[in-house]
């Protein structure tokens, strides 16, 4: 039975559902769309990180498998050690020279295309070597082998230059150590499994290691093709610039407005078609190619990374060849060096897997400084090492502690470098480290021949002492800073 009392106005208001304004409804729809877009981007980024890890591991595995048997194959075909050294030297020099040049189009928006087609070209080059070894009986033409190796090395240099800027585009800043550690673990795992797998395949057929390398490049190309993230850093920079301009009344930077006001006609020269001479074009290209070098030179953080990685790479290469010379002089064959490499690779893999957790719990400055000083006694102890197990244990110590500092420095370098300069700055760092690693064996050989097998290790220990001092005084000041503004040094 209903009440005879009339309803009050208050009860009517409460019974009617609240009406949302158009602005409120639009804001809720916008928020929901932003959440959905953010979730999709996070899902794509996680998937792309795994694909990038897979591409890197496959590339490293194939390269290690074919790289260890290439000198054996050339020597087995009757070519002299001088020819083998020429092939190795030319291929290394090609990668060092082309890296900074290819980084320019990668930073300008062609990153994914460069990575994909470089992997495809490398697959075709190694496939041609496999076909030549399987079909041609006896001794395949040296010109074909040399051309294939150079094409593969060139394409690999292009891929590596473009890939150096990918991490910053698929990872959040807080996830950088984990992504870098995953790439490091893939390299270390390939160092353990690749040479053994290549040797086993070579025993079955001299063409099989190169078949594996070609397949690994196919896997790399497929993984790169499947990545969904926008790898065009230049477009991201343009969008940021447009967003910055949208906050201004006329979309013009105040400094640009003042500069235009100072001109007699008040006109913007950018609005008029500019004529560029041939000399101006070459100057612009040179400025693009050297932007990474100028950025590294002007940024204390990147200079620290450059000095640290270059020194450590050169020292490790010198110590490794010193071990080769010492073991060879002692009458040991190739098996002991395989043991040293296996122990080093396993230790490096363990260090890479543990690095992300250690990075979260340790101070970056203390970790890098501690690793720098711990390497000194390891290098000095190599001066007294005599057997393969001792060398393996000491090199394993190096490879166990190094990933912690490497992950921290690489992650900070990526985080502190503008997206549109990632490939060029990374190429400068990689070229310096690769150049040091290429020159170190010759210096180690000279010291061993003229001063004895212990001298290179002691010299390397002295160099590491200087590096540790430099890191101790420099890390505290620069590890917490990055690049102040996008495009600095460009």
């Amino acid at each position: 039975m209903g009440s005879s009392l009339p309803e009050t106005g208050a009860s009517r208001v409460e019974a009617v559902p609240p009406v949302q304004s158009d602005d409120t409804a639009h804001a809720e729809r916008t928020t929901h769309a932003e959440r959905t877009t953010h979730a999709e981007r996070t899902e794509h980024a996680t998937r792309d990180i795994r694909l990038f890890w897979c591409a890197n591991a496959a590339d490293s595995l194939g390269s290690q498998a074919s790289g260890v048997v290439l000198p054996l194959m050339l020597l087995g075909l009757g070519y002299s050690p001088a020819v083998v050294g020429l092939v190795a030297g030319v291929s290394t020099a090609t990668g060092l020279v082309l890296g900074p040049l290819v980084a320019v189009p990668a930073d300008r928006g062609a990153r994914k295309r460069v990575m994909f087609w470089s992997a495809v070209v490398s697959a075709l080059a190694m496939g041609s070597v496999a076909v030549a070894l399987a079909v041609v009986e006896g001794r395949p033409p040296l010109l074909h082998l040399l051309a294939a190796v150079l094409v593969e090395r060139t394409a690999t240099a292009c891929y590596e230059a473009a890939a150096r800027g990918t991490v910053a585009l698929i990872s959040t800043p807080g996830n950088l150590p984990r992504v870098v550690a995953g790439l490091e673990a893939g390299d270390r795992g390939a160092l353990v499994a690749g040479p053994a797998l290549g040797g086993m395949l070579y025993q079955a057929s001299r063409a099989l290691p190169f078949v594996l390398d070609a397949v690994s490049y196919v896997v790399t190309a497929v993984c790169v093709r499947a990545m969904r993230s926008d790898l065009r850093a230049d477009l991201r920079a343009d969008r940021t610039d447009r967003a910055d301009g949208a906050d201004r009344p006329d979309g013009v930077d105040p400094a640009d407005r003042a500069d235009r006001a100072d001109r007699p006609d008040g006109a913007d020269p950018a609005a008029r078609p500019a004529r560029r001479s041939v000399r101006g074009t070459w100057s612009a290209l040179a400025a693009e190619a050297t932007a990474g070098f100028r950025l590294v030179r002007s940024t204390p953080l990147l200079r620290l990374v450059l000095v640290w990685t270059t020194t450590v790479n050169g020292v490790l290469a010198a110590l490794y060849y010193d071990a080769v010379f010492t073991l060879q002089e002692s009458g040991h064959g190739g098996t002991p060096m395989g043991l040293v490499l296996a122990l080093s690779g396993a230790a490096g893999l363990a260090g890479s897997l543990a690095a992300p957790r250690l990075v979260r719990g340790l101070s970056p400055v203390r970790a890098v400084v501690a690793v720098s000083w711990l390497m000194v006694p390891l290098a000095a102890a190599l001066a007294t090492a005599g057997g393969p197990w001792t060398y393996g244990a000491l090199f394993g110590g190096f490879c166990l502690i190094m990933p912690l500092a490497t992950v921290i420095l690489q992650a900070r370098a990526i985080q502190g470098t503008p997206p549109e300069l990632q490939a060029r700055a990374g190429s400068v760092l990689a070229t310096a480290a690769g150049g040091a690693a290429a020159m170190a064996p010759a210096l180690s050989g000279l010291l061993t021949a003229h001063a004895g097998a212990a001298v290179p290790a002691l010299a390397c220990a002295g160099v590491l002492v200087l590096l540790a001092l430099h890191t101790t005084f420099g890390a505290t000041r620069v590890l917490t800073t990055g690049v102040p503004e996008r495009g600095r040094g460009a």
Side-chain angles (χ1 to χ4, degrees):
M1 180 180 228
S3 171
S4 59
L5 297 175
E7 295 181 353
T8 64
S11 64
R12 288 194 193 96
V13 173
E14 292 175 356
V16 177
V19 178
Q20 294 179 331
S21 66
D22 292 341
D23 293 341
T24 303
H26 176 71
E28 290 185 355
R29 288 195 300 270
T30 302
T31 303
H32 177 72
E34 289 177 350
R35 289 175 180 173
T36 303
T37 304
H38 176 72
E40 291 177 352
R41 284 200 301 265
T42 303
E43 181 181 354
H44 291 167
T46 302
R47 178 177 176 272
D48 287 349
I49 288 171
R50 292 171 181 168
L51 287 171
F52 193 50
W53 281 345
C54 181
N56 178 74
D59 182 16
S60 299
L61 180 64
S63 298
Q64 290 290 342
S66 64
V68 75
V69 302
L70 178 62
L72 299 177
M73 184 265 293
L74 292 175
L75 292 173
L77 292 174
Y79 296 109
S80 66
V83 172
V84 176
L86 176 64
V87 172
V90 171
S91 62
T92 301
T94 301
L96 294 177
V97 171
L98 286 179
L101 300 178
V102 180
V104 175
D107 277 338
R108 290 305 182 193
R111 189 181 316 278
K112 192 171 184 178
R113 293 196 299 274
V114 170
M115 292 169 65
F116 174 76
W117 287 111
S118 296
V120 170
V121 171
S122 296
L124 294 175
M126 289 295 98
S128 72
V129 173
V131 170
L133 293 173
V135 174
V136 179
E137 296 182 0
R139 185 168 163 171
L142 176 63
L143 183 60
H144 177 197
L145 298 177
L146 181 60
V149 171
L150 288 180
V151 168
E152 185 267 345
R153 185 62 254 177
T154 301
T156 299
C158 296
Y159 176 88
E160 291 174 350
R164 289 186 187 104
T166 303
V167 176
L169 300 176
I170 63 176
S171 172
T172 60
N175 202 31
L176 282 175
R178 174 174 167 267
V179 177
V180 173
L183 297 173
E184 187 81 10
D187 290 337
R188 298 294 180 176
L191 182 62
V192 175
L197 183 58
M200 287 173 21
L201 293 175
Y202 187 72
Q203 293 297 323
S205 171
R206 61 185 185 180
L208 286 180
F210 302 97
V211 173
L212 173 64
D213 199 11
V215 172
S216 73
Y217 282 122
V218 172
V219 173
T220 299
V222 171
C223 290
V224 170
R225 191 78 172 189
M227 294 173 67
R228 297 180 181 178
S229 296
D230 185 4
L231 303 183
R232 294 170 294 179
D234 60 325
L235 296 185
R236 294 189 178 193
D238 291 342
R239 284 197 292 268
T240 303
D241 293 339
R242 286 196 296 271
D244 293 340
D247 295 333
R248 307 180 185 111
D250 55 358
V252 180
D253 186 270
D256 292 339
R257 190 185 301 111
D259 183 56
R260 293 178 189 179
D262 292 337
R263 301 189 189 103
D265 56 355
D268 183 5
R272 298 190 299 267
R275 292 183 179 180
R276 178 176 290 178
S277 64
V278 175
R279 182 177 179 180
T281 301
W282 281 109
S283 298
L285 292 176
E288 290 276 3
T290 59
F293 171 77
R294 297 198 307 275
L295 178 68
V296 173
R297 183 186 61 186
S298 62
T299 309
L301 169 63
L302 297 182
R303 288 203 305 269
L304 174 66
V305 176
L306 175 70
V307 172
W308 202 93
T309 55
T310 301
T311 304
V312 170
N313 272 271
V315 164
L316 280 181
L319 291 174
Y320 172 77
Y321 277 89
D322 182 41
V324 171
F325 300 146
T326 303
L327 291 175
Q328 184 71 24
E329 194 175 303
S330 303
H332 296 87
T335 303
M337 283 313 302
L339 173 64
V340 172
L341 288 175
L343 292 175
S344 303
L349 178 59
S352 300
L353 294 175
R357 183 175 299 179
L358 294 174
V359 168
R360 289 194 297 267
L362 296 175
S363 163
V365 175
R366 292 181 180 178
V368 174
V369 170
V371 170
S372 301
W373 282 107
L374 286 173
M375 290 189 296
V376 175
L378 292 173
L382 284 170
T384 61
W389 285 103
T390 306
Y391 277 108
L394 293 173
F395 275 106
F398 266 107
C399 296
L400 181 64
I401 63 176
M402 273 180 49
L404 176 60
T406 301
V407 167
I408 291 173
L409 292 175
Q410 288 186 0
R412 290 303 177 93
I414 292 171
Q415 188 175 0
T417 302
E420 66 273 19
L421 288 174
Q422 286 279 339
R424 279 172 281 183
S427 294
V428 172
L429 300 177
T431 299
M439 293 187 295
L443 296 175
S444 179
L446 288 174
L447 289 175
T448 301
H450 294 89
V455 173
L458 294 176
C460 288
V463 171
L464 290 176
V465 168
L466 297 177
L467 176 66
L469 290 172
H470 176 76
T471 305
T472 300
F473 293 108
T476 304
R477 186 174 65 256
V478 304
L479 275 183
T480 56
T481 62
V483 178
E485 297 290 342
R486 185 178 65 250
R488 175 183 173 183

